[in-house]
Amino acid sequence: MDRFQAMRVFMGVVEANSFTRAADNLSMPRATVTTTVQSLENLLKVRLLNRTTRSVSLTPDGAAYYERCVRIMKELEEMEAAFQDAARRPQGRLRVDVAGPIGRRILIPRLCQFRERYPDVELVIGIGDRPVDLVQEAVDCVIRAGELADSSLVARRIGSLSFVTCGAPSYLERHGEPQSLEDLAQHHAVHYFSSVTGRNFDWDFVVGGVSTPVRMQGQVAVNDVDAYNACGLQGLGLIQPARFMALPHLENGELKEILPAWKPPPLPMSVLYPQNRHLSPKVRAFTDWVAELFSQCPLLNGSDGEGFTAGECRYPERPATYTVREMLDEENQLAGLS
């Protein structure tokens, strides 16, 4: 007996509430429908349907079996659709949500590249750090930093951000430069607080291969990356920003790295999408493209960035002279900041 065919016949009888109508809907003889359901009951050794001359109804076992049949058939259809979609060109509306700095500094300057490759994809990009309910808000995927906390999402690792501990020369002239982690107790930091909990994030350093938190004191707290860096540049306290954002300021002397022997741990970057959806061609195309962007620059793929200059991170689709510094300048111009 073909079990999948038997399940379809059984579901057809339940949904039509009649053997005769099910036979018509399935283009099968009524006797075949009846025999198939009887054979299925014999196989399972339970009665699935109550039959009278006028109606058909589910038994408790039949109701449970029907629910599982629906689930199995839906998963089978999604699996088949995934392979059928793979042969199609990516197309349709793609809603993406991404944190501000990555969106403005990494994605937006190179969207023309994505559009050239996938002209039939309509991109809708939400930029922000707030938690997003992908199902309720019809978001296809999000790019986020940190470990996966929501078990209902699938994460594809695309890179890793390195961080640097630094301060403005004006701050270091006033307070001195710390020489050890213990010295940080005598210093102030600009705090970065969570938009969700309102709590300040502790600093972290890798000590003996283990991530070690350090609680800093400070009198200024923000929840925006650009504001955080701006406060550090003004000398309001030490900061621990992503290296790719701090690097131009480190090179021109506006910031100075401190405690280079103790590095902050890198932060994984991932594309997240619901696990109960097959990966459509448009989502697959986007995640592949983003992973390629991150892989092309050591500042975005896990390097600690030591000895690395802004001019060394180039993207092949741009002119050879297009550097991280020019990328940031372009972003500032787009934002009307320069």
Side-chain angles (χ1 to χ4, degrees), residues 57-101:
S57 62
L58 284 165
T59 66
D61 287 330
Y65 187 71
Y66 175 75
E67 289 180 4
R68 295 189 181 186
C69 286
V70 171
R71 189 181 312 130
I72 291 171
M73 290 302 175
K74 182 178 180 181
E75 290 178 356
L76 179 62
E77 290 171 0
E78 289 183 350
M79 180 184 68
E80 292 173 345
F83 284 97
Q84 293 166 359
D85 286 345
R88 297 205 305 263
R89 182 180 180 86
Q91 59 183 323
R93 186 176 186 272
L94 178 66
R95 171 70 192 278
V96 178
D97 196 84
V98 58

Side-chain angles (χ1 to χ4, degrees), residues 121-140:
V121 175
E122 176 193 352
L123 268 177
V124 180
I125 301 178
I127 295 181
D129 294 313
R130 70 177 182 85
V132 174
D133 187 319
L134 277 73
V135 176
Q136 292 295 325
E137 300 183 43
V139 175
D140 293 289

Side-chain angles (χ1 to χ4, degrees), residues 53-286:
T53 55
R54 294 186 177 182
S55 66
V56 175
S57 62
L58 284 165
T59 66
D61 287 330
Y65 187 71
Y66 175 75
E67 289 180 4
R68 295 189 181 186
C69 286
V70 171
R71 189 181 312 130
I72 291 171
M73 290 302 175
K74 182 178 180 181
E75 290 178 356
L76 179 62
E77 290 171 0
E78 289 183 350
M79 180 184 68
E80 292 173 345
F83 284 97
Q84 293 166 359
D85 286 345
R88 297 205 305 263
R89 182 180 180 86
Q91 59 183 323
R93 186 176 186 272
L94 178 66
R95 171 70 192 278
V96 178
D97 196 84
V98 58
I102 298 298
R104 291 190 293 267
R105 289 172 164 82
I106 305 301
L107 297 189
I108 299 300
R110 278 170 296 285
L111 279 187
C112 287
Q113 175 198 116
F114 183 85
R115 293 286 301 135
E116 289 171 1
R117 292 190 193 180
Y118 308 106
D120 298 326
V121 175
E122 176 193 352
L123 268 177
V124 180
I125 301 178
I127 295 181
D129 294 313
R130 70 177 182 85
V132 174
D133 187 319
L134 277 73
V135 176
Q136 292 295 325
E137 300 183 43
V139 175
D140 293 289
C141 61
V142 298
I143 300 176
R144 288 291 183 264
E147 299 295 339
L148 177 63
D150 189 340
S151 60
S152 68
L153 300 177
V154 176
R156 174 181 172 180
R157 182 72 61 84
I158 58 173
S160 184
L161 292 183
S162 61
F163 291 79
V164 58
T165 308
C166 54
S170 60
Y171 174 90
L172 298 176
E173 288 173 4
R174 292 195 309 270
H175 302 281
E177 182 174 339
Q179 301 300 314
S180 68
L181 298 185
E182 290 73 18
D183 290 348
L184 291 175
Q186 308 303 318
H187 286 267
H188 287 80
V190 177
H191 288 307
Y192 194 99
F193 68 89
S194 168
S195 300
V196 177
T197 66
R199 297 178 180 176
N200 294 333
F201 289 105
D202 288 337
W203 281 17
D204 285 286
F205 295 90
V206 177
V207 180
V210 178
S211 179
T212 303
V214 174
R215 180 163 295 184
M216 297 290 295
Q217 57 181 332
Q219 297 176 318
V220 177
V222 297
N223 68 339
D224 175 81
V225 171
D226 289 315
Y228 182 70
N229 289 343
C231 288
L233 288 167
Q234 292 180 47
L236 296 176
L238 302 174
I239 57 174
Q240 208 173 58
R243 187 176 284 271
F244 88 93
M245 294 188 65
L247 191 55
H249 305 296
L250 293 169
E251 289 185 346
N252 64 21
E254 293 175 327
L255 291 174
K256 179 181 179 182
E257 181 174 5
I258 61 172
L259 303 173
W262 296 275
K263 303 290 185 183
L267 195 63
M269 296 293 299
S270 304
V271 176
L272 311 178
Y273 53 88
Q275 64 178 345
N276 60 341
R277 297 179 185 173
H278 66 270
L279 194 60
S280 67
K282 60 186 178 182
V283 176
R284 187 183 303 277
F286 181 79

Side-chain angles (χ1 to χ4, degrees), residues 2 21 39 41 44 46 54 88 92 100 107 132 216 221 272 282 284 289 329 333 338:
D2 185 333
R21 286 194 294 272
S39 298
E41 290 177 322
L44 299 174
V46 296
R54 294 186 177 182
R88 297 205 305 263
L107 297 189
V132 174
M216 297 290 295
L272 311 178
K282 60 186 178 182
R284 187 183 303 277
W289 175 70
D329 289 343
Q333 290 169 2
S338 63

